[in-house]
Amino acid sequence: MEEQFIIKQAEFVTSAGATGNYPEPLGCEIAIVGKSNVGKSSLINCLTNNKKLAKTSSQPGKTRLINFFLLNRSFYLVDLPGYGFAKASKEEQKSWGEILERYLQSGRVRHLLMLIDIRHEPTRDDLQMFRYLIYYGIPYTLVATKADKIARSKLRSEANARAKQLGAPPFAIPFSSETGEGKAELLTRIGQIAADAVPPQKESPESEKRA
């Protein structure tokens, strides 16, 4: 049986804006994207068991920068600005779009976790975001948030339906930061991504001589 991946250490590193002042890259960078108020910050806090790590707000559009978090001192989890916040000015929406696109073009992203609301069909902005990640060839996992809002018996079917409506293969991980639904499955996925990104250690000449 595969050992459960555990996040033992998590810390905020820095925020980056339109200038692209990102931190030095590590072996793996997993980014989280989704519309405003889909639960990105809550998901990060749930996965890391730290309710104060990522700032949450009942007001959509709180995350306006790219926030880098260092996990297990080995890879970054990156919180991207939420898109589709209707009350934001056109100028703000354009700025957020430019920040997102610049980051996606950077080549830093190893994998992208795209969050969608399990209760609703994907929005026009969700569809555009999905087209972006396909265009840039970024591997992804779909996560259907707000899973505590629907009957448990419908979780898997509703999550998969949202993925299909997005134009993806019909699979998404149902997730709830309130109940912890999907937490173990998502942690396992993150652990696999991080492990695959780290090349196997080569034996040193000294150890080869001793063998």
Side-chain angles (χ1 to χ4, degrees):
M1 186 176 177
E2 189 174 348
E3 187 176 346
Q4 175 68 56
F5 177 74
I6 300 172
I7 296 175
K8 298 177 180 177
Q9 176 272 345
E11 62 182 89
F12 171 75
V13 177
T14 190
S15 293
T19 56
N21 51 327
Y22 311 133
E24 276 296 311
L26 295 175
C28 182
E29 198 155 303
I30 301 171
I32 300 175
V33 71
K35 66 181 181 181
S36 295
N37 213 30
V38 76
K40 294 185 287 89
S41 298
S42 296
L43 179 142
I44 291 170
N45 292 344
C46 178
L47 292 179
T48 59
N49 295 316
N50 185 342
K51 293 182 179 179
K52 296 181 179 180
L53 184 63
K55 293 180 180 179
T56 60
S57 173
S58 57
Q59 179 186 357
K62 187 70 175 177
T63 303
R64 303 189 181 194
L65 297 171
I66 298 174
N67 294 317
F68 290 80
F69 300 92
L70 178 64
L71 302 189
N72 291 354
R73 296 186 174 85
S74 61
F75 67 97
Y76 290 125
L77 190 63
V78 185
D79 186 14
L80 301 180
Y83 52 78
F85 180 40
K87 291 184 179 179
S89 67
K90 293 293 183 184
E91 193 66 30
E92 278 185 310
Q93 290 183 41
K94 182 183 177 183
S95 173
W96 297 348
E98 288 172 351
I99 290 171
L100 270 174
E101 194 159 3
R102 181 183 181 124
Y103 178 73
L104 294 177
Q105 289 175 339
S106 69
R108 295 174 60 105
V109 193
R110 177 78 183 192
H111 199 96
L112 196 145
L113 304 178
M114 182 173 175
L115 275 52
I116 49 179
D117 192 321
I118 198 170
R119 303 168 297 176
H120 309 299
E121 287 191 20
T123 65
R124 183 177 62 181
D125 292 307
D126 287 327
L127 295 170
Q128 182 179 14
M129 186 68 239
F130 186 68
R131 286 195 293 268
Y132 266 153
L133 66 93
I134 295 299
Y135 177 79
Y136 291 118
I138 303 171
Y140 66 91
T141 297
L142 298 178
V143 182
T145 61
K146 317 282 186 178
D148 54 291
K149 305 297 185 183
I150 65 172
R152 188 171 177 79
S153 60
K154 296 182 179 179
L155 286 181
R156 191 63 64 176
S157 62
E158 288 296 303
N160 294 349
R162 298 294 87 79
K164 189 174 181 180
Q165 290 163 347
L166 197 61
F171 175 78
I173 299 174
F175 184 89
S176 169
S177 57
E178 295 292 325
T179 65
E181 176 70 42
K183 179 179 178 178
E185 186 176 355
L186 187 52
L187 280 172
T188 296
R189 186 78 188 100
I190 290 172
Q192 291 169 342
I193 296 162
D196 289 346
V198 179
Q201 294 289 326
K202 291 184 179 180
E203 289 191 349
S204 65
E206 289 75 15
S207 63
E208 288 176 356
K209 288 177 184 177
R210 289 195 298 268

